[in-house]
Amino acid sequence: MSEGLHTQEVSRDTRLLPKCAAIVVRDLQLLVRRPGQMLQILGFFVVVTVLFPLGYSPELGKLRLIAPGVLWVGALLASLLALEGLFRDDAEDGTLEQWLLCGQPLAALLLAKTAVHWLLTGLPLTVLAPLLAVTLGVSIEAAPGILLALGLGTLALSLIGSIAAGLTLGLRRGGVLLSLLSLPLAVPVLIFGARATELVIQGDSPTAALYLLASLVVLAITLAPLAAAAAVRIGLE
Amino acid sequence: MSEGLHTQEVSRDTRLLPKCAAIVVRDLQLLVRRPGQMLQILGFFVVVTVLFPLGYSPELGKLRLIAPGVLWVGALLASLLALEGLFRDDAEDGTLEQWLLCGQPLAALLLAKTAVHWLLTGLPLTVLAPLLAVTLGVSIEAAPGILLALGLGTLALSLIGSIAAGLTLGLRRGGVLLSLLSLPLAVPVLIFGARATELVIQGDSPTAALYLLASLVVLAITLAPLAAAAAVRIGLE
Amino acid sequence: MPELSIENLHVYRGEQHVLRGLNAQVSAGQCLQITGENGAGKTTLLRVLCGLLPAESLQLTWRGRVCSPQDAEYHQGLSYLSHAAPLKADLTGWENLRFLLSLRGVWQAERVGALLERLGARRFADRPVRSLSAGQRRRLALVGLVASQSQLWLLDEPTTNLDSAGTRLVTELLSEHLERGGLAMVATHVSLDIAPSALQSLHLTSGDGARRVA
Amino acid sequence: MPELSIENLHVYRGEQHVLRGLNAQVSAGQCLQITGENGAGKTTLLRVLCGLLPAESLQLTWRGRVCSPQDAEYHQGLSYLSHAAPLKADLTGWENLRFLLSLRGVWQAERVGALLERLGARRFADRPVRSLSAGQRRRLALVGLVASQSQLWLLDEPTTNLDSAGTRLVTELLSEHLERGGLAMVATHVSLDIAPSALQSLHLTSGDGARRVA
Amino acid sequence: MGWAWFHRFGSPPHLYRLAGTLTPWFAWPAAILIVGALYLGLFVAPPDYQQGDGFRIIYVHAPSAWLAVMIYAVMAIAAGVGLIWRMKVAHAVAVSCAGVGAWFTAVSLVTGMLWGKPMWGTYWVWDPRLTAQLVLLFLFLGYMGLRSGIEDLGRADRASAVLALVGVINLPIIRYSVEWWNSIHQAPSVMKMDQPSMPMEMLAPLLMMLLGFSLYFGAVLLVRVRAEILRRERSAAWIREVLS
Ligand code: HEM
Ligand SMILES: Nc1ncnc2c1ncn2[C@@H]1O[C@H](COP(=O)(O)OP(=O)(O)OP(=O)(O)O)[C@@H](O)[C@H]1O
Ligand SMILES: Nc1ncnc2c1ncn2[C@@H]1O[C@H](COP(=O)(O)OP(=O)(O)OP(=O)(O)O)[C@@H](O)[C@H]1O
Ligand SMILES: [Mg+2]
Ligand SMILES: [Mg+2]
């Protein structure tokens, strides 16, 4: 038979990058198969932002004041909800096990997975935000600042959430616990983010707050994948 | 062998109530086994309520104005999140199939399940709400009104959500879709509920809004179980 | 007269016409073994008969009366054992059985205790199901099956994950069930060690309807 | 000299001391069949060897070098087939295999095509896995196993859900793997139809360590 | 010398006995210090010239707030040791910390709120320091929530240890980030420890109380660790020896 030679003889591609690429390709395929997932997250974001004026007040003048809070809380909740499925689906159907067994550094694979997840949820959320801000009475000039702040913020949230997603893997309905665990870590992001957005809306320069956000992102990129890998190993036991 | 006689001869208890009782007992057992579930929902509610001041403003005078909106959006989101698992867990491990096969009206069983679910999530949320309201600068005198409004509101939300929970059974991660499906039905609850709460906080009489809420609950009790039963049958296919 | 008769069963799954005009009869004391290669439609057949999957067309007669596979009365006489054991992972085996059987109105603690003993499941009946091995779960599900005292058993690969002693037990339980006048439809790839007089066989071939073998 | 040697393996699950001081060796071209009643610890043993479960103590030697069951190099020479087939329900069989094999760096379309043919899986390789029967999924997982060309196979009840033709195929594939100098550890309740010279057997008894049989 | 002491410390029977012996050495001084500090604080220290007797709540509030942070640190260190050296008793220590820590955090929050009513006219203000303390409570609750969700002890240990360690990074971040927060709240001047204006009669009971609380924490920890070890090792041979 020609189908199998053994490891000693088999030419095995041991580079890391093609594996990360395979993960990205697969997740895009999955998105094409069920675009509903992404649309639902966006829908949730819209709904939270729309609900608030319903429960509060329809006056744009008042709404503008609470706009940063509403946008950020909405984005935070939507990101956290989306994160629930980050590793869970793969764990449940047994494919995540195979990631652990493929002989590549797990942290790198999880970083790839988290990055593509952000591309498919965090980025669309970010793009949507300025539009929603307009419905809350914010002027369209604030768009670039809002984009930058939310882009950085959701990226940090995705990374932070990946740790909690790993930790809650072993649990049946980890969703709520995931939010709870991510929250203490997400608070700084929320505070800087909302601060930057508020400055932008008022027409001031948000540079300092944005720098802080960016440094949080850098910190998260360095540490979160390692913690997530440890968490996933434990979660899969 | 004495272990089996056949249906013709077997004395089978065909009353409906003991079955509903069995469901209640089992769900309480499950809660005792994992109290985390309930605590997490409460934690989420607390967290959402805490997020707003962080993203908005720490001034109690300002916070008091948005308190009804924050409380209701928080309670709505927490209820919807909790509802995700209403039938899903049972569907995934195959026990829900057995409910369909036990020869009892499914709608009644699902109503029992939804009722105990409200007792374990909606009611605690309601009890917690006045405390959270205090942190938002609302006076403790408003407590009875808030309790009544949120009690009725969460009950209606549980019933409405049970329909969506049935419909999203077939989907992997129905959570977000569930929120979207429930929302059109939940909006009236939110509006009347927030209105009642606002009146209470301002010290006015919320009777009219509360009557409307109560009639929504009655409507939901009559119709929701039937719709949920139909939805579950489809979802399980 | 057959207790259960299925006529003209057509089922589509997605695009596929999985079962085409299948007919089958089962009398009291008879077991119908359903065989067929992977993907032939065995699971589909059983789930349609439970009313869990919709059929394109089906004429079902049960105890001489025409009925739909979703009728409550028909369900009361039927037990279905699926690929996966219907147990809640957070409850113990005992609690699971208590709930399952209460739901059917046939909970009797001593009977269940005796059955647990017989299936070698007493040892782990007090542990949460989450911590049980695949075969141990299966054994609990079998206790539930027997204790629900239904006349019609619909079993999907009941010997999966069972060791050889477990497999023998299944055929024993099945034989006893038939002797008491029960009916069974069993989808399985292994040959069942049952009195040939009580055994019929239905071979499904992928998508081409069914051939009756014996 | 054995390629794989396991010494002094102790594993606890919850309170239970499931494996107590187990020793086993497997040489190239040998298959170690793991038997034992339900709950004896077969699945546990395989998952510990994959590094998916922690062991209390374990001395593992692979190709003459002591290593941990979480070493990347050891993983590169190993394939594990669990109770459930590791496939994403929303992707087709083909896409699933492509991903799985790319992850291991051994994706070759023609080879996979040939294997699909051989396992009778080409017909449904382009359908989403969600719509496949239990046995069909199993066949896809087997293609992935063979195509990953690992020297060490760890198989947990590989014949579950397979029809008789499928079961025969598994033993064939296994024999070929051994002839090529592969190693295998197979947990199963059925007897494997493999050349006796290549077959060893390890019988686990619940919680009492292991007895070597042949 | 080497690592022998480390392994000896890590052996459950040894720690069990050690904890038993040490408990009274923590409990009695704790009781004496707390009672003494209460007496000094409530009756001897002069009333504050601004707040009158209301300030006396500080004797419970401030020590419990400090302890809460300290306990988190102890918990994280124990969790780290358990994770890295796979030491089971370290996990037992970490678990035992969580409940006490959450309790002290809650006490500091509640006493703070009670104090806030007369001082700031409201129970709660979204002040950075208060928020940081609330987040600390979430950390403890999240830790316990995660544990309660995982059945298997070993897995619960390791998963919650990762969380505890991740949470450590969070402590300084919260501390500094809240400075950036758009708080319009005037920093309460009483919340400054380094004011030389605090007279010795006020300060001494405070420090005594802090020491007392710390010893109390030590005693509670030892008792809980013993119980935890008993629970974990209930099937071990040495337990039967100890109990008989
Ligand atoms: C819920 C409300 C409150 C919370 C959560 C809270 C929290 C804290 C925390 C975390 C500390 C320790 C500070 C540190 O480690 O640096 C502390 C200390 C202290 N708090 Fe509070 N506090 C609250 C209300 C109050 C009120 C109303 C007062 C008095 C007006 C007050 C006065 C003090 C004082 C005097 C100290 C000790 C000295 C210091 O470290 O500044 N606190 N509190
Ligand atoms: N998550 C768990 N927690 C605690 N105990 C467990 C857990 N999983 C399995 N066990 C126990 O460990 C023992 C070995 O289980 P394992 O799954 O390895 O058995 P097995 O030999 O594969 O059985 P089967 O033939 O039924 O698949 C069993 O007694 C089981 O109850
Ligand atoms: N959800 C689905 N959607 C579309 N087609 C499906 C679905 N489930 C199963 N099928 C197809 O229906 C056919 C019958 O499937 P079924 O599960 O009944 O087979 P089976 O005889 O039980 O096979 P096995 O022995 O593998 O369990 C298969 O060809 C399968 O691919
Ligand atoms: Mg099948
Ligand atoms: Mg097994």
Side-chain angles (χ1 to χ4, degrees), chain B residues 13-156:
Chain B
D13 183 351
T14 53
R15 287 167 306 155
L16 177 58
L17 267 184
K19 274 92 187 186
C20 294
I23 291 176
V24 173
V25 168
R26 188 201 65 156
D27 279 11
L28 290 176
Q29 276 175 333
L30 281 171
L31 178 79
V32 172
R33 229 35 66 78
R34 344 203 102 203
Q37 206 56 53
M38 190 177 99
L39 297 178
Q40 286 162 28
I41 300 286
L42 293 182
F44 184 82
F45 186 37
V46 174
V47 155
V48 172
T49 326
V50 167
L51 279 183
F52 269 100
L54 288 180
Y56 173 47
S57 149
E59 276 175 69
L60 287 183
K62 283 188 181 178
L63 284 175
R64 189 175 307 120
L65 292 178
I66 64 162
V70 172
L71 284 181
W72 275 89
V73 172
L76 177 67
L77 293 177
S79 306
L80 291 182
L81 270 186
L83 279 165
E84 210 226 310
L86 183 58
F87 306 134
R88 177 172 302 274
D89 287 355
D90 287 341
E92 275 174 4
D93 55 25
T95 49
L96 194 55
E97 271 173 26
Q98 300 291 333
W99 297 33
L100 267 77
L101 298 180
C102 77
Q104 298 293 333
L106 185 59
L109 301 180
L110 296 185
L111 181 58
K113 169 93 189 164
T114 310
V116 63
H117 180 265
W118 176 76
L119 270 181
L120 300 182
T121 57
L123 194 58
L125 279 183
T126 306
V127 172
L128 200 61
L131 293 179
L132 292 177
V134 169
T135 71
L136 295 173
V138 172
S139 101
I140 195 79
E141 271 93 68
I146 293 181
L147 281 177
L148 205 55
L150 265 166
L152 289 170
T154 50
L155 187 53

Side-chain angles (χ1 to χ4, degrees), chain E residues 61-90:
Chain E
H61 171 73
S64 45
W66 287 322
L67 257 235
V69 177
M70 193 181 94
I71 294 175
Y72 191 89
V74 172
M75 180 174 95
I77 291 170
V81 170
L83 199 61
I84 295 164
W85 286 288
R86 297 172 130 256
M87 202 162 128
K88 283 183 188 162
V89 295

Side-chain angles (χ1 to χ4, degrees), chain C residues 127 131 133-136, chain D residues 13 16 18 38-44 189:
Chain C
R127 278 167 50 193
S131 75
S133 80
Q136 288 170 335
Chain D
R13 300 209 70 168
Q16 231 181 320
V18 177
N38 292 137
K42 303 178 291 300
T43 302
T44 304
H189 298 296

